[in-house]
Amino acid sequence: MSLQQLTAAEGLFKYQSGRVIALGRVMLVTLFFIAIVLDRSEPERAVVETYSLLILYAAGAVALAVTTWRNWWLDARLAVPAHAADMAVFTAIVFSSNGTTSPFFLFFVLPLLSAAIRWSWRETALTASALIVLYLIAGLLIAGTQSFEIERFVIRSGHLLILSLLLIWFGIHERAARLFFRLEDFESGLDEQQSPLARALGLPIQVASAKGGALIIGEAGEAPSDGFGIFGGKQRTFSAERPLVRDGSYSAFLYDVDRNRALTRLAEGHFQFLAASAVLDLDQARELGLSEGVIAEVRTGTQHGWLVLSGVSELSTDFIDLGRELGRAAGFILDRHALLAAIETGAAARTRLSLARDVHDSIVQFLAGTAFRIEAIRRAAKAGSDIGAELEELKRLLLEEQGEVRGFVTALRRDREVELADAVAELRALAERLSQQWSVVCRISADDEQASIPIRLHLDLQQLLREAVANAVRHGGADRIDVDLSVDDDLLQLSVADNGRGFGPTEPTTEPWSLKERVERANGSLRLVSSPGSTNVYISLPLAGAA
């Protein structure tokens, strides 16, 4: 059998428990009929009645399979009568063929499995109880006959009870753990460039093999009114002037607009039959082009609405539970997009804050130093001094700062580590420019220059140096700054010492906010130690935290 044929066979029974039960019933009764015909000793009693019952049951099973194969309404309507017939035939066939030793005893598995698959554990328990009672009654009726074996009767009654308990347990857990599809199996086929509404609707359409559908969403607590639809492969938005779903107490239901039918499954597991007009605005449904399909509730953290699928291929009662899962999947996609959007907004805010900090620590500080230098040149000009050399030096510093800004932008675009030796070389070049800019002596020393550091930390070091020198000169009046750099395990240690005024014993020491903010953003720590004539800043930065 080819892969295409296997796929077609899988699609024939996918989300089709009704078909599986109907086909299993036909196959089982056919096999029983063949077995009785081949075994001349069977049936032991009521020969004509047994053959007649099997023929009628087989004909009914075939007719039921044919009529319900593509009709979810009849499948649900006839489920209970067919279930009762299965239990009655089980009792009759077992005790018309060797009674307690009947080879057809396992026929009781069909109604038990049908109940566990179709409904909930309650219906499974009722089915099991009815089968056990029927088996016991029939056993008592033939007790004392030649074919009755009390020992086998007791053993089989125990088997029936044990298997019933197992299937009841299965019924309890099966619906709670039911998973019709895995989201990751279908998400890879979705276009990430599409809008979140298109992705949230495209997934259910793909899973259910629907011809089209719509998402009607609104803010939680309000009537859903914002609609997005995909019909005939074309996307369109619309506004629902009135609610499409009239009764929101059902989280998922099948609908047939033309026949005015709707079907849902209650929490207890059994079906509830409704008029479509009771739960849907049929006029609006026709305006949207809806005929037959499934509707399910969609909830997100802030929104509420409905997933509407139309033209579903091979629609069955299983699509009620599938619809609930698709509604949850659509809500998950919308929630995830909202979360990612919030993360991106937060990341953008952090990026703006980081850039603002970098601009403050580089360009603003340079401009402050330049203004300081220009004021000195202005005073020299008033005194009649030659300022040509000073202006040339200022011009050179401006050109160097222009190169620094370009290098800063280029570094932001990189995503790699740099050698500590390269970072130290750039810091020494920066320290020389800062020395000229602020008319101070700034020296850099480093240990273990063989290490490497993340590019983000490299940028932070440059900005920290700028801010430290500017603070030392402007607030402390320092003319000498010594910077020491080292790597200790997974920490980058930076110490900045200046010979400024410092803080007296009674003066409160205040950590520079720009330094502290940058250090905290890199998950580092800062410590300030000051005394008259000296200020020391100790900074520890984790290498991993800055990647």
Side-chain angles (χ1 to χ4, degrees):
M1 183 178 288
S2 66
L3 179 61
Q4 186 176 4
Q5 290 173 319
L6 285 173
T7 304
E10 179 188 5
L12 193 63
F13 295 100
K14 193 175 184 180
Y15 315 135
Q16 301 289 338
S17 60
R19 286 184 183 178
V20 172
I21 293 171
L23 188 61
R25 183 184 292 114
V26 171
M27 295 174 64
L28 198 59
V29 70
T30 301
L31 288 174
F32 282 179
F33 188 80
I34 294 173
I36 287 181
V37 170
L38 294 178
D39 188 354
R40 296 184 180 276
S41 64
E42 297 290 354
E44 186 181 66
R45 59 182 66 83
V47 178
V48 176
E49 290 81 357
T50 300
Y51 275 105
S52 300
L53 175 64
L54 279 177
I55 292 172
L56 287 173
Y57 183 70
V62 172
L64 185 64
V66 171
T67 55
T68 62
W69 196 258
R70 296 181 183 275
N71 192 319
W72 51 268
W73 180 264
L74 279 179
D75 182 37
R77 278 291 190 191
L78 299 176
V80 174
H83 194 65
D86 290 340
M87 291 190 290
V89 170
F90 156 73
T91 307
I93 195 68
V94 166
F95 288 97
S96 66
S97 54
N98 284 336
T100 56
T101 64
S102 172
F104 307 114
F105 175 76
L106 287 178
F107 183 76
F108 80 93
V109 172
L110 175 66
L112 275 178
L113 277 176
S114 298
I117 293 172
R118 275 191 185 276
W119 300 297
S120 69
W121 68 270
R122 297 177 181 84
E123 285 75 12
T124 307
L126 287 173
T127 300
S129 300
L131 287 173
I132 292 171
V133 170
L134 288 173
Y135 186 72
L136 292 175
I137 291 174
L140 292 174
L141 290 176
I142 66 168
T145 62
Q146 185 176 1
S147 62
F148 184 77
E149 297 182 14
I150 184 63
E151 181 181 356
R152 183 165 293 187
F153 177 76
V154 172
I155 291 174
R156 287 195 165 185
S157 298
H159 291 168
L160 181 58
L161 177 61
I162 292 170
L163 187 55
S164 298
L165 292 174
L166 289 174
L167 288 175
I168 290 171
W169 178 90
F170 170 78
I172 292 173
H173 293 83
E174 183 267 348
R175 193 165 299 281
R178 175 172 288 183
L179 186 65
F180 284 93
F181 65 96
R182 296 186 306 170
L183 195 60
E184 57 269 25
D185 291 341
F186 294 91
E187 274 197 309
S188 58
L190 299 179
D191 186 358
E192 289 296 326
Q193 302 302 317
Q194 289 182 324
S195 69
L197 286 174
R199 293 201 301 274
L201 179 57
L203 174 69
I205 289 177
Q206 181 182 354
V207 173
S209 300
K211 293 181 180 179
L215 268 175
I216 305 176
I217 297 291
E219 295 299 320
E222 300 179 3
S225 58
D226 299 327
F228 175 82
I230 300 177
F231 298 97
K234 296 181 179 179
Q235 301 180 6
R236 67 183 179 96
T237 58
F238 59 91
S239 179
E241 298 180 357
R242 55 189 186 275
L244 173 65
V245 179
R246 288 179 170 174
D247 189 345
S249 59
Y250 305 108
S251 60
F253 57 89
L254 307 182
Y255 67 90
D256 186 337
V257 173
D258 296 335
R259 295 181 176 85
N260 194 24
R261 293 172 175 172
L263 176 69
T264 188
R265 190 195 299 273
L266 301 181
E268 296 79 12
H270 56 266
F271 295 119
Q272 181 170 353
F273 301 89
L274 305 162
S277 57
V279 291
L280 280 180
D281 184 328
L282 296 185
D283 292 334
Q284 188 175 1
R286 292 188 180 97
E287 290 175 7
L288 291 175
L290 306 179
S291 57
E292 185 182 39
V294 59
I295 294 179
E297 186 180 32
V298 176
R299 284 191 179 274
T300 71
T302 58
Q303 294 178 311
H304 170 261
W306 298 95
L307 166 68
V308 183
L309 298 178
S310 180
V312 177
S313 175
E314 308 293 346
L315 188 64
S316 73
T317 56
D318 287 357
F319 277 77
I320 299 174
D321 294 316
L322 175 62
R324 290 191 179 98
E325 287 197 23
L326 292 174
R328 286 193 290 267
F332 168 78
I333 291 174
L334 294 175
D335 261 339
R336 186 178 63 176
H337 175 268
L339 176 61
L340 291 176
I343 292 173
E344 289 177 1
T345 301
R350 288 193 299 272
T351 300
R352 288 194 298 269
L353 180 62
S354 177
L355 287 175
R357 188 185 299 109
D358 290 342
V359 168
H360 173 270
D361 293 350
S362 58
I363 300 174
V364 173
Q365 295 294 350
F366 173 78
L367 292 176
T370 302
F372 188 83
R373 191 72 176 268
I374 290 174
E375 179 62 25
I377 294 173
R378 188 181 67 82
R379 289 196 299 268
K382 278 187 176 182
S385 302
D386 183 13
I387 60 174
E390 292 289 337
L391 290 175
E392 285 295 325
E393 178 65 16
L394 183 60
K395 176 182 177 182
R396 185 183 67 81
L397 291 175
L398 286 169
L399 291 174
E400 287 182 353
E401 183 64 19
Q402 182 183 33
E404 279 290 311
V405 172
R406 287 175 177 170
F408 171 71
V409 173
T410 301
L412 285 176
R413 294 172 177 167
R414 291 184 292 181
D415 184 20
R416 60 178 178 86
E417 292 187 339
V418 296
E419 295 297 326
L420 183 58
D422 296 334
V424 170
E426 293 187 22
L427 285 175
R428 284 175 175 149
L430 176 60
E432 184 178 349
R433 292 195 299 273
L434 292 173
S435 297
Q436 296 173 356
Q437 176 184 342
W438 293 99
S439 300
V440 297
V441 176
C442 182
R443 294 179 180 175
I444 306 290
S445 62
D447 299 330
D448 191 16
E449 295 188 16
Q450 300 302 314
S452 60
I453 61 174
I455 187 66
R456 179 68 255 179
L457 194 56
H458 171 45
L459 295 175
D460 283 337
L461 283 175
Q462 294 184 1
Q463 305 308 333
L464 288 170
L465 178 61
R466 290 175 184 274
E467 181 66 18
V469 172
N471 284 337
V473 175
R474 287 192 299 179
H475 304 301
D479 59 13
R480 180 183 178 88
I481 298 102
D482 293 305
V483 180
D484 183 64
L485 197 64
S486 64
V487 174
D488 183 10
D489 294 330
D490 294 329
L491 292 175
L492 180 67
Q493 306 287 358
L494 176 69
S495 67
V496 182
D498 67 66
N499 63 349
R501 287 188 298 271
F503 296 91
T506 59
E507 292 182 88
T509 57
T510 304
E511 298 170 343
W513 68 267
S514 57
L515 286 177
K516 183 178 180 181
E517 189 178 31
R518 182 177 294 277
V519 169
E520 288 179 348
R521 183 179 60 83
N523 298 318
S525 61
L526 181 147
R527 184 166 59 93
L528 179 66
V529 178
S530 182
S531 60
S534 174
T535 299
N536 294 273
V537 179
Y538 301 98
I539 296 172
S540 295
L541 300 172
L543 297 179

